[in-house]
Each structure stands twice: as structure tokens, then as C-alpha cells.
Amino acid sequence: MSSRYPDANTGRNSPASVQFPGPGNTRVPFAAFSDPDLYRRELARIFHGPSWHFLGLDDEIPNPGDYKTTYIGETPVIVARVDAARINGFVNRCSHRGNLVCIKERGTATKLTCVYHAWSFDLEGNLTGVAFQRGARGEGGMPDRFRREEHGLRKLRIGTVCGLIFGSLSDEAPELGDYIGPEIGARIRRVLHGRPKVLGSVTQALHNNWKLYAENVRDTYHASLLHLFYGTFGMTRLSAEGGIVIGETGGHHASYSRGSASTAEGNKDYDGLRSNQSGFQLEDARLLRHVDEFGDGITVQILSLFPNFVLHQINNSIAAGIVVPKGPDAAELVWLYLGLEDDDPAMTERRLLQANLSGPAGYISMEDGAVTGFIQRAIKGSEAACAVLDMGGDGHGSTTSRATEASVRGFWHAYRAQMGL
Ligand code: FES
Ligand SMILES: [Fe+2]
């Protein structure tokens, strides 16, 4: 079957370079993780398309004039606070000759001035100053037809939920609350039940396509198999009580589970598997001590929003992250570790200690970046072959089983709809 769809950049129809054979979303061609043409279309249709993208935390820019820089896809953007109630976002590209307007990662300013020719912009994105607009010594300068008001910064739509700031480059994206939907929104509010603040951050280079990580966070099947730490210390097992909530479009998910102490019965499911390790103990058990701050006994909740946002709660460690595409076979994973405004010092210390479970060298998550990199190496020369996503059937509805790839199929469902594939 060949599919044709309009090219977002040119408006012309062009043939799809990657085909998904089905049934449903159970087969993903490996070319989807390396094809340069497909990648370019993703930047246009997903990252510049009708999606919302995590930009940072309200708490990162608390005062008027505070700004930070980040990315939507590969496009650099600025997020700036105007006043207590208002946050603006812009593409970080000078409207003169295209230089980065903000070079620093963060700062405070009443105006944003480009270093190249000193054009300056206010925090609404208006062009307010053009160096030598009237020329020098009565010569040169801008012609009379030049209008500053035609050369502001490109503005983003901005939305916030629970202190998280999102931006969109598309007028067609639904309002942020509708985009997230009620079930997933409730799962965000469950974790961020107070105003979040940043405790620290890490950035990890991934040697793989961004979608291999988007799949990984939605992949409930692998957690207690790849990550020996989870199973060994009974933090989560597929045999424990839990489930997956999948949003209406398929692209967002929240998986959750309650802790399961190592029991003979629970261990039986893992007979013969690498993850059935016993006899290991931690020198310092504080790492595993979980305070049930949400009152529901859930020890792990991993949440994603399409396309590339993650919010996880692992015991009392909370982190918000994005996977930033950096080409067909490279990405960056940026994590912000969070606390809540009303945390006492003991809770802050607990969150920081348990932050060691995730991140590039985390006891649990260390293997994720490794395995996605291994896949990128393994698929070379097998672009026409497909990954198999049959676990749990071929649907992508919410389920009480985590022995399923439903949320991964959900990602591909949303992806294909937005890519027209
Ligand atoms: S490129 Fe920014 S002022 Fe010229
Ligand atoms: Fe993982």
C-alpha cells in the first residue's frame, strides 16, 4: 500500500518513505527510526504541528523579566515571564538575519537584544530598537517603507498546567487542557498536588532516534525485565497491582503500580528470567523508603504526553523531562527533578536521595538509554524489517494489565494520525 500525503513545508503531495504494514499498530518498520526524510517531516508535522511541548516550570522563571531557552523539536525557543500572571514564548531567532536572540540558557532582562546588529525586542516580542535605523552621518539606514511592527519575534501559544509550561507553534492545536484530556490531567494533578519547584536537572545524550525513547517510557512490559533493580527490590513487578490509562488519541499514557514485596508467588512469574535475582541487599535502605504522600499506595507512576514529555513518580522522586530530537539517530533527554512548595526538609532530602534511581546513571533508568542505543546500532541494514508489538493484542485502550504494549501502540496510533501515514 502506498500512501501519499501533503508535505507540510511545500504543500505538495509526496510519497511516504516509510510504510506501516499492520495489523493495527503492531508493526513498526525500523526505517521509522533512521529515515532522514521521515525525520524532516516529523519536525514539520509533529513539532511544528498541532501538539503541545513542555518548555519548563513556572518556578524556573519566577520574576518579571526572567527567561529561559529550550527547544520545540530542533527549533530553539525562549520562554519569558512578563508579569505575575503572564508568560510569553518566542522562536529564538532574530527577525533580522536569523541569529539566536538569547544565547544564554537563562537570565533576566527588560528587553532582548541580539548580539549581531543589536536589534532589540520587548517581552511581548515586539521589535523596539533597530541600531542605526536612520543611518550614520545622515547616510544609509532603513528605507521609509521599513516597519518595525512587521518584524517582531515569532510568538508561541503558551499554556500551563500544575506549574508546567507548554508551548505550541500551531494555531490548530486544541486548548492545552483538551489536548491532555481529563484522565491524564487527573494523573498529572495526582503527582503535582502542590506547586512544583526545581531541585536539580540533568541532560543525557542519547545515541538513538527520539521515538525509541518515546516508546521506552510507554513500554510497561520491559520495566521489571530490563531493570534488575525494580524486580530485585520489589519496587514494581508485572504481577503487582497496577494498570495503564491511555488518553483518547492514544498518544498520552499513565502507567501505575503498587509496590510488591518479594513473595514466592510473585517470584514464580519471573522463574528463569535474568531479573529474578535474589540475595542482594542495599547497604542503605533509605533509598527505597517510600512515604505514601498521595494516599493511594502507588509507588511508581510513569506518565507521557505526546509527543515527547514524561512525568514520573518513582517512590518519592518526581521528575519532568523531554526527549529533544537532534537528528534521525540522536537525541537529548533533559530531566528536571522536582519537589513541591510545601515539602519539609526531610521530604526534600528523600526526593533528592531517590533521584538516584533515575537519570543517566540511575539505578533503574541507566539501562534505558543503553538499550535504545543498542537498537539504533542493531537496525542498520534492516530498515525494511519491523518491530513486533503484539503483546496484549492490537488495541491501545486503558487496561489493568501491564503485560502489554498497548501504550506503545497508542503512541504509534497518534503518530501516524499526525504524520498522515
Ligand atoms: S541578526 Fe539580529 S540584529 Fe542582525
Ligand atoms: Fe525503563
Side-chain angles (χ1 to χ4, degrees), residues 179-190 244-248 251-255 301 303-305 311 398:
Y179 179 80
I180 294 171
E183 304 94 339
I184 302 294
R187 290 273 153 186
I188 294 175
R189 287 191 295 278
R190 170 187 169 272
I244 311 174
V245 180
I246 299 176
E248 205 181 309
H252 319 317
H253 98 295
S255 67
Q301 178 183 292
L303 181 149
S304 69
L305 293 180
L311 175 69
S398 298

Side-chain angles (χ1 to χ4, degrees), residues 93-101 113-121 127 129 131:
R93 174 185 51 78
C94 180
S95 44
H96 179 217
R97 299 257 295 280
N99 185 34
L100 287 173
V101 176
T113 303
C114 176
V115 293
Y116 201 175
H117 314 91
W119 284 25
S120 55
F121 304 87
L127 175 61

Side-chain angles (χ1 to χ4, degrees), residues 106-384:
R106 59 189 70 243
T108 304
T110 50
K111 60 179 183 177
L112 306 171
T113 303
C114 176
V115 293
Y116 201 175
H117 314 91
W119 284 25
S120 55
F121 304 87
D122 66 17
L123 296 179
E124 303 293 346
N126 301 312
L127 175 61
T128 51
V130 172
F132 297 106
Q133 181 163 357
R134 297 188 197 292
R137 296 168 167 234
E139 288 186 292
M142 288 298 191
D144 290 343
R145 63 178 161 73
F146 180 81
R147 298 270 173 278
R148 284 189 196 174
E149 54 274 24
E150 291 171 5
H151 299 281
L153 298 176
R154 181 174 173 193
K155 255 187 144 170
L156 312 181
R157 287 173 69 196
I158 294 287
T160 59
V161 55
C162 294
L164 307 173
I165 307 168
F166 289 83
S168 178
L169 284 158
S170 167
D171 291 335
E172 280 155 38
E175 289 303 315
L176 179 63
D178 296 334
Y179 179 80
I180 294 171
E183 304 94 339
I184 302 294
R187 290 273 153 186
I188 294 175
R189 287 191 295 278
R190 170 187 169 272
V191 176
L192 302 180
H193 56 92
R195 187 166 184 268
K197 58 183 185 182
V198 178
L199 299 179
S201 79
V202 294
T203 299
Q204 175 179 1
L206 294 176
H207 305 289
N208 55 263
N209 183 276
W210 68 276
K211 299 188 298 303
L212 285 169
Y213 193 80
E215 281 194 322
N216 177 274
V217 295
R218 290 166 173 84
D219 177 357
T220 47
Y221 180 28
H222 86 281
S224 59
L225 298 170
L226 175 67
H227 305 301
L228 299 189
F229 196 96
Y230 264 149
T232 303
F233 298 108
M235 284 181 69
T236 183
R237 287 172 172 264
L238 284 182
S239 43
E241 193 195 338
I244 311 174
V245 180
I246 299 176
E248 205 181 309
T249 62
H252 319 317
H253 98 295
S255 67
Y256 58 93
S257 63
R258 295 185 166 83
S260 64
S262 238
T263 62
E265 203 195 337
N267 288 351
K268 247 194 339 217
D269 290 332
Y270 287 79
D271 269 355
L273 295 174
R274 187 180 68 102
S275 49
N276 198 10
Q277 306 276 329
S278 56
F280 287 98
Q281 287 199 332
L282 291 172
E283 287 290 331
D284 186 346
R286 283 180 308 161
L287 191 61
L288 299 179
R289 236 165 260 157
H290 172 235
V291 172
D292 187 11
E293 62 182 302
F294 313 110
D296 56 11
I298 291 172
T299 50
V300 178
Q301 178 183 292
I302 312 290
L303 181 149
S304 69
L305 293 180
F306 187 84
N308 64 339
F309 172 71
V310 186
L311 175 69
H312 77 215
Q313 169 233 331
I314 303 176
N315 281 356
N316 297 105
S317 173
I318 303 173
I322 49 166
V323 56
V324 184
K326 296 285 178 191
D329 57 2
E332 260 178 25
L333 189 52
V334 183
W335 286 113
L336 295 175
Y337 290 94
L338 308 183
L340 302 178
E341 199 171 30
D342 296 333
D343 287 348
D344 60 19
M347 180 57 94
T348 301
E349 197 190 327
R350 190 177 298 115
R351 295 199 199 284
L352 286 170
L353 184 69
Q354 293 176 357
N356 289 299
L357 296 168
S358 61
Y363 292 121
I364 292 167
S365 65
M366 185 162 51
E367 295 97 342
D368 287 323
V371 89
T372 50
F374 295 158
I375 295 171
Q376 197 74 43
R377 283 161 59 185
I379 62 178
K380 284 192 199 314
S382 302
E383 288 76 8

